[in-house]
Structure formats: C-alpha cells, structure tokens
Amino acid sequence: MRFDGIEDEMPHLLIRHDEQERLVTLEKPEITIGRTPNNDLQIPDPAASRLHARIVSENGAFALLDCESRNGTILNGVRIEAGKAIPLKGGDEFVIGAFRIKFLEANEAHTPGRIDIVTGIDSRTLALDLRSSRPCAATPSGGEAEARLSLLFQVVEALEALSDPPTLLERIAGVIFEALDPERVFIGVRDVELEGWKMSLSFTGPGRKGEFRTSSQVVGRVLDRQEALLTHALEKPSADSDIIPSAATRRERIRAAMCAPMLAGDTTIGVIYVDDRRRGARFKREDLRYLSLLALLSGAMIAGALRQDLLLRRSLCAERGEPGLFIGKSKAMTQLWRQIESVAQTNFSILLLGETGTGKTMVAREIHRLSPRRDGPFVECNCAAIPEALLESELFGYAPKSGIANADPKGKPGKFELADGGTLFLDEIGDMPLEQQAKILKAIEEKRVHRLGATKPQRVNVRIIAATNRSIEGEIEERRFREDLYYRLAQLRLTIPPLRERKSDLPDLAAHLLTRIAPEIPLKKIRGLSPEALEAIACHSWPGNFRDLENALRYAAILCPDGEAIGVEHLPPEIAQHHTPSKAPRIEVTKPDEEFSALDLAKRDTLIAAIREAGSLTKAAERLGRTKQWAIGQAKKFGIKIVRK
C-alpha cells in the first residue's frame, strides 16, 4: 500500500484509536483492510477479520465493501451489506472493532491531534513507471527540482564510470547528503545466503564514516515488501502505528527516517536508509520519491559493478583445469568420481588427502565446476609457497592507506575476498604456520575477514576446499596442526588414489599426456607407445604420480626418433628395467596406423599389451573387464592377428 500523511492532492483515511490518530493516503485502486499484516491497512483488533473490508476506486470515486467479515462493518452508524460496494463521500466514517476510520476527500482540511505519519512507495511500480517512460512526480517543482535532477544525472554519469562497489557506495552517499540533507546515511548490499550485509557503509555526516543503529523494523519492512518507506513514528509511536519500533530504536530518538530498496530486476539487492534526530517532520513525500529513484538507479549500477567485479575475480583467479586426472575407468577412479559428484552439491568444507602429484588441485576444480557455486570464482592459495610474513596479507588483504611497507595505497583484497561467492582452495594446508591456522579458523567460523589495517571486518561467503600430502593426524599429535581446524576443514574427506592403484588407466593416461607434450616438440611426430613400453610403464610404482609420468614421457619423446613409437629403450632407465622379454605370442597388425585416430591407436595398443601379457584373446578380454565377443570385434577392427609359435 502507498501511505501518505503529508500531501493533500489525494483522498485520505483518518484512523482513530485510543485517542490517537493516523493519516493514510489512498493511492492504489484497491486497498485491503484486515487483522493480518499482509493487508494494505492492518487493523490489530480481535474484532477485525483476517480480510475484513476493501476500499476500491474507479474514475476518482471511492467505495467501501465488507468482505463477509465476522463482526461486520459499520458505516455512519449502519451495518453495510457484505459484498456490496457502498459509495464514500467526504466525512463518511466506518468502524471496525475499536478503530474509527474517516474518509476525507482530496484537499479536505483536517487539523490533527497527534498523527504518526507513515508513507510508502511501491518500488516495483515505480520501476515499471521508469521502464515504460511514464511520468512520475519524482521531485518538487521549481529550482530545487532542477538541482535534484541535475544531481541524478551527475550520479548516473559518475556511477557508470566506476566498477569498484565500495567507491560507488561512497558516491551515492555524497549525492544523498547534498540533495536531502539528512543527519545520517546507511547503504547496505545484501548477502542473501548469509542473511546479512555483503557490503555496507555508514555515514554520520557528509564525508564522515561512522557506525550507528538503523531502525531494523523500517529496514526489514522495506526488504520484505520492496516498498520505500517514510516515517515520523519512531521516537514515540502510537499503539496503532504501522511501525512498532524496538526499545533500542526508541533510544536512538529518531524523529524522521526514510528507507528505499535497491532493486536489480525483481530482486532486492540492498537498501538506502537515512534518518534525522534533530528535526521532526523532516522529510516529505517528494523526498521519498527522490530517494526511491536514486535507489533504483543505484541498485542497477551496483548489481552491474558486482557482476564486473565477479568476472574480474574469475579471470584473475580461475585458470582452466587439466582434465587428465579423470581419464580412465579403473575401480579407484570410478569410486573417486562418484564421491566428487556427491560432495560437489553440498556446501561443506572438504579436505583432500593424497600423495604429491596425484591431482588434488584438479579434483578441487572439478568439485567447484559441479557445485552450485560454479558461476563464482575459484581461488587457489598454496600455503607452502608463500613466506610466513606475507601469508596473512595474501589471505586477508590490507586496507587502503594501511601503512604497510610497500603496500598499494588503494588497498588489496585477500584470497578470501577474491573467492567471495565461490570456492577457496587452500593447497598444502599442512604446511601452514600455527599462528595463521588460528586466524583461518576464525575466518571460517565467523564468515568474516579482517584486512590488515582495517577497522571493520568484511563478510565473505566462500566454500573451503583444503588439500595436503601430509598425515594430518600425525601433525596433530606432534602439535604442528590445530585439531579444531582439522575438524572444521574435514567435514568431508576425499583420498585421491596414486597411479600405482590405477594400472588399467595408465595406457589412456600416457596417450593423453603424450598429446599434451607434442606441441613442446613440434619438429617430431611420435606414434604412441609400443606394447613393451606400456608394459614397463604399468610395472613402475610412480612415486611422483602425474608429474613423474609426464616427465618420463617427455624424456622418452625427446629420445624417440621421428615417426616411430616410443619403445622401452627410450624410457628412463629406472622404468625400462621393469621390462623383461616374455613368451608372449607374436602379434601382427595388418591395418596401417593412418586409418585410425590417436585415441583408437591408444585403444589398439592397450589390447595388444593385454594379449601379450595374458597369452590369448579370451584372457586379454578378462583382464580388461570385457567380453570375448568385444575382444574379437576389436581385433577385427584393428587388424590384429595372433601368430602361435
């Protein structure tokens, strides 16, 4: 409902209860009246029905309808018939419970006793008016109107050039002080998931930042209804006031307050709140309309700045992942993949355990890609690679003009802030110093970070994925790792299998890595790996896992002659020694390599290696987990013939 107790150009309702009065303006074509808060006009009286009555207007004429209420509606001393529209004229009075409501025509004079003024503007309707270019009374007339419109154009030009959300908020506050002259200003951007403010600034005067208590009732109603609000009823409200302030709000002695929602589409992304404790009846309805327009413009631009900030953080922090880890269908890999798909949909912290080189970073990236946070940034922090003296500033950032030596005077966000709305990957968490572990624990528990040199914490919404190749339980026993941090990080645990547990995946992994290595040796064409080389690779334990395998293949590719397949003789000695000549059957291949893709050639070599190792096509199929019919079909496809000696 649009309330108004200031203007005289619209009809009003004068509501009397317990010797107090409240004036409400009728601007909507239909007003609902009843006991519950979802009505446009709430009547907190047991005698009132949930939906008691309606006031409707058509062509400037107003009528009252009783909505089949339990106790009826009395108009000018007579109970009206339910469902029948009764025309209203100036001075008519109707009664609902203990409330007496008088209808006043537009411009009808009234000298109130004490009126608690509550004015509201439906911001969604105002936004539609703006989008459809309908005229709306946004500002007062005359020179003041021109000055305010000029300020609006200035703020639009200034805000369009800015991509830093905090700076945007400061500019908006400056315009509000210049145009409306309030005592205090608060601008807050919502964090829906954390049910708080993602970002906020408070000013106790032009250019003076300072904390103060806003009216939670006013702000809450604006957020709930998407309706801008003006009230003079916070200091000493009446019993029937539409806003019932808390004791803490009353102690602030606020004499006038306005609040408007900042909208991005149909979503409320924040509010602009202003108040004044010096002057009563400080703000007028045109002030509220001006604040509403400014909030609508600001909401769109802040949403754009937040999107731009998110894209920037993505480009800075989220490089493309390497898919090599997920090649293969071994039992260990299949189990890991199922676990990844399950944990990705949750918001719990995850601890990844595994030997060095097993692909913990790739697993973390895949969890992020499959999670509801996929559109947010993925930020990595290697806790072992950053000097202890710099780790805190890397994680938490530092404030503008913090006084830190060699620091950017504009300040710098830390990894937590860069990951806001996404995932923070803390690699090598087991190497983090104990002092920093305590600060990480606090940030995770409170969902707030404190930049170095800052006076106010910053709310962050991040999912933590940590990884280590150490035995965390052993580190806890040695008192090198905090047990409480371990339990906070290990809400879910995944263990990444080493390559020695993925023997059946090695041929496909080797083929994939050779494809990645090929551009490094542009003048040479490698035709895959020989069955003997694959056999030697399968027998090696690969203590360095992926990095170890990649280095070995790079070494072999350099030694292998152009146009040939990598043989045992090209592999590093510690790997080649695993190959021993066997009594395997002789195999002939009747179809040339040119007929097949690199992937098909890798599949062919895998089958050949299995036949050599198993001694027959049937046993090779069993080793590969396939049927005999499949093996026969593949042998025919690739022209594989087994020659018995």
Side-chain angles (χ1 to χ4, degrees), residues 190-204:
R190 296 177 82 188
D191 189 320
V192 178
E193 186 168 335
L194 296 179
E195 297 182 351
W197 300 114
K198 181 187 190 73
M199 181 191 317
S200 65
L201 282 179
S202 301
F203 296 85
T204 56

Side-chain angles (χ1 to χ4, degrees), residues 266-499:
D266 293 329
T267 303
T268 304
I269 67 166
V271 298
I272 300 178
Y273 170 94
V274 302
D275 68 19
D276 202 309
R277 299 171 298 174
R278 305 165 296 181
R279 297 160 286 183
R282 171 67 189 85
F283 304 118
K284 299 179 181 179
R285 182 171 174 275
E286 59 262 25
D287 297 327
L288 185 64
R289 279 195 176 271
Y290 184 85
L291 186 68
S292 300
L293 285 172
L294 181 59
L296 287 171
L297 293 171
S298 302
M301 295 190 184
I302 289 173
L306 290 173
R307 283 193 296 270
Q308 187 172 342
D309 177 66
L310 176 60
L311 291 173
L312 178 62
R313 288 188 285 120
R314 281 187 200 161
S315 65
L316 289 173
C317 306
E319 299 174 359
R320 202 174 168 185
E322 166 57 50
L325 169 71
F326 304 104
I327 291 174
K329 296 181 180 179
S330 63
K331 182 178 179 181
M333 193 59 229
T334 302
Q335 182 179 358
L336 175 64
W337 181 248
R338 287 173 181 167
Q339 291 173 337
I340 289 172
E341 289 182 319
S342 297
V343 303
Q345 301 307 313
T346 72
N347 203 35
F348 295 118
S349 298
I350 300 174
L351 181 62
L352 304 179
L353 303 173
E355 299 174 8
T356 182
T358 50
K360 294 184 287 294
T361 300
M362 289 183 275
V363 170
R365 286 184 178 277
E366 191 65 13
I367 291 172
H368 173 74
R369 188 184 71 82
L370 295 174
S371 76
R373 295 172 175 266
R374 65 180 66 88
D375 294 328
F378 177 85
V379 180
E380 296 180 46
C381 180
N382 189 318
C383 302
I386 303 172
E388 183 177 348
L390 300 178
L391 187 57
E392 185 173 358
S393 64
E394 281 294 313
L395 288 169
F396 304 120
Y398 50 83
K401 301 177 182 178
S402 60
I404 299 174
N406 301 320
D408 187 338
K410 295 181 181 179
K412 177 188 173 184
K415 300 291 188 183
F416 271 89
E417 286 184 59
L418 289 173
D420 190 29
T423 302
L424 175 60
F425 177 50
L426 300 174
D427 199 7
E428 307 296 353
I429 189 73
D431 295 272
M432 179 178 286
L434 273 171
E435 182 182 354
Q436 299 303 329
Q437 291 177 30
K439 295 176 181 178
I440 286 280
L441 177 63
K442 183 178 181 182
I444 295 173
E445 288 181 337
E446 297 182 356
K447 295 182 172 58
R448 295 173 183 268
V449 293
H450 216 119
R451 285 192 184 187
L452 294 177
T455 58
K456 183 180 178 181
Q458 177 83 23
R459 291 184 72 94
V460 290
N461 175 15
V462 300
R463 183 192 197 170
I464 302 294
I465 301 178
T468 183
N469 58 11
R470 293 175 179 260
S471 169
I472 292 293
E473 289 85 353
E475 295 295 301
I476 292 172
E477 289 179 6
E478 296 293 330
R479 297 188 176 181
R480 290 194 293 265
F481 199 86
R482 293 179 63 106
E483 188 173 12
D484 49 1
L485 177 58
Y486 168 71
Y487 287 117
R488 176 61 70 174
L489 293 174
Q491 292 177 322
L492 298 171
R493 296 197 335 172
L494 295 184
T495 300
I496 317 302
L499 284 186

Side-chain angles (χ1 to χ4, degrees), residues 504 603 606-608 610-611 619-626 630-631:
S504 62
K603 292 179 178 178
T606 301
L607 179 58
I608 291 173
I611 294 171
K619 291 181 179 179
E622 292 176 358
R623 282 179 176 271
L624 295 174
R626 300 283 190 164
W630 173 86

Side-chain angles (χ1 to χ4, degrees), residues 24-49:
V24 174
T25 299
L26 300 176
E27 289 187 337
K28 292 173 64 175
E30 180 175 319
I31 305 297
T32 60
I33 305 171
R35 190 177 73 251
T36 56
N38 60 319
N39 287 285
D40 296 314
L41 180 58
Q42 184 184 7
I43 304 296
D45 190 302
S49 297

Side-chain angles (χ1 to χ4, degrees), residues 544-569:
N545 293 289
F546 273 95
R547 299 188 191 99
D548 200 0
L549 176 60
E550 186 173 18
N551 290 340
L553 292 172
R554 187 176 284 109
Y555 175 95
I558 292 172
L559 295 184
C560 180
D562 182 29
E564 295 187 13
I566 291 175
V568 175
E569 66 275 15

